[in-house]
Amino acid sequence: MDSYTLRAGADPGPDAAVNAADLAARAAGVHVREVVELGELEAVHRLYDTIWRPDPSSPPVASDFLRALAKAGNYVTGAFDGPQLVGACVGFFRPPAEEAMHSHIAGVSAAAHGRSVGFALKLHQRAWAMTRGVSEIAWTFDPLVSRNAYFNLAKLAAGATEYLTNFYGGMHDGINGYDDTDRLLVRWSLHTPEVAAACAGTVRPCDAESEQRRGAVVALACSDDGSPVLGVQAGDTLLVAVPPDIASLRGAEPERGRAWRTAVREVLTAAMADGLHIAGFDKSGWYVLKRDTTEGQHA
């Protein structure tokens, strides 16, 4: 059994979370720690600017704001490869005070892609939070970004709970372009066995092809030319496709990118309003939505 395999009955408490975070950091070849000094906070600001390439008037997060967050005891952390900052994550406490956190922004340098630095950052954040009595971390992500959907819903076993339309307004940066900033809100229940297993390396399974054999219907598909195609909008299990690389699509074909935004927004919001929840994400590019059929079965 390798070190990432969760033993049956393993303790999902703070000590186990710290151990899992240490293992993830070593596997990624980084040291993850809090950042409080002004020079390093400015390095976080520069890293985010490099990743998002924002309009100069609207940086992802300013260094003075990072300074205030860190001083107030919130979560400002960097992943270091030797002296080099290669990733950072910022979060703050939210109501109920000191029992929950919102993870505002996380990013990894292109030079460190493919090393699971983002996984190491999130596991450090979980351990940091659990040692302070926090039981849940929430954050948002763009539902069109397939790799982020897989990372959040499968690799971290977070749960998507709400669709937020144009949540941040116009951001006009190198990642979001001029598209609406729709987001899915996810909640990460830190103490659950499922999340503990995910942090030990067990990806939450989700197989769209198997679901379709069991009767799932395709609510949104991707055509041969890369366009969204609406399908059946009713059923207890729905499959919703996203494009394989929305960032490239926004740059090369912005109109088609906007068509995906509209289609995914309409299908997911309608399905969730109809009582379905996002049960997972298949790495091949499908959300799987299911209806809770347990309601009303108890006396």
Side-chain angles (χ1 to χ4, degrees), residues 31-45:
H31 175 60
V32 183
R33 61 173 173 80
E34 289 182 72
V35 175
V36 295
E37 297 299 328
L38 183 58
E40 290 186 336
L41 292 168
E42 290 173 343
V44 171
H45 166 78

Side-chain angles (χ1 to χ4, degrees), residues 49-267:
D49 272 7
T50 299
I51 295 169
W52 272 270
R53 308 183 307 281
D55 182 311
S57 65
S58 181
V61 60
S63 55
D64 58 345
F65 181 59
L66 291 173
R67 181 77 152 171
L69 285 176
K71 181 61 176 175
N74 291 286
Y75 185 81
V76 183
T77 296
F80 293 84
D81 184 351
Q84 182 67 34
L85 179 72
V86 296
C89 185
V90 176
F92 45 82
F93 290 103
R94 64 178 178 83
E98 298 187 3
E99 294 180 21
M101 285 181 60
H102 184 82
S103 186
H104 177 56
I105 185 169
V108 174
S109 166
H113 284 181
R115 291 169 46 184
S116 296
V117 174
F119 188 63
L121 281 167
K122 293 306 292 184
L123 265 61
H124 181 276
Q125 187 181 47
R126 173 176 178 259
W128 186 95
M130 289 175 71
T131 60
R132 289 160 176 78
V134 172
S135 60
E136 180 188 273
I137 301 174
W139 64 90
T140 65
F141 75 94
D142 186 340
L144 294 183
V145 181
S146 178
R147 67 180 184 279
N148 287 352
Y150 178 78
F151 179 74
N152 293 320
L153 304 182
K155 194 164 183 179
L156 295 179
T161 61
E162 188 177 356
Y163 192 99
L164 305 168
T165 299
N166 201 25
F167 184 60
Y168 293 109
M171 297 184 76
H172 306 161
D173 57 35
I175 291 179
N176 295 284
Y178 287 82
D179 196 6
D180 285 351
T181 53
D182 289 21
R183 296 293 185 262
L184 277 174
L185 177 69
V186 299
R187 299 188 184 277
W188 205 25
S189 298
L190 305 184
H191 292 273
T192 65
E194 185 176 35
V195 168
C199 292
T202 301
V203 173
R204 182 161 65 179
C206 188
D207 187 335
E209 187 174 322
S210 295
E211 294 288 353
Q212 196 164 10
R213 287 197 296 269
R214 288 193 291 267
V217 296
V218 175
L220 183 66
C222 183
S223 69
D224 290 340
D225 69 356
S227 299
V229 179
L230 291 175
V232 177
Q233 303 299 303
D236 290 334
T237 303
L238 301 181
L239 304 179
V240 178
V242 293
D245 185 352
I246 185 60
S248 296
L249 188 63
R250 284 186 185 123
E253 300 180 76
E255 286 299 324
R256 187 167 292 175
R258 284 189 284 272
W260 272 106
R261 172 68 77 208
T262 299
V264 169
R265 175 192 294 167
E266 291 177 354
V267 173

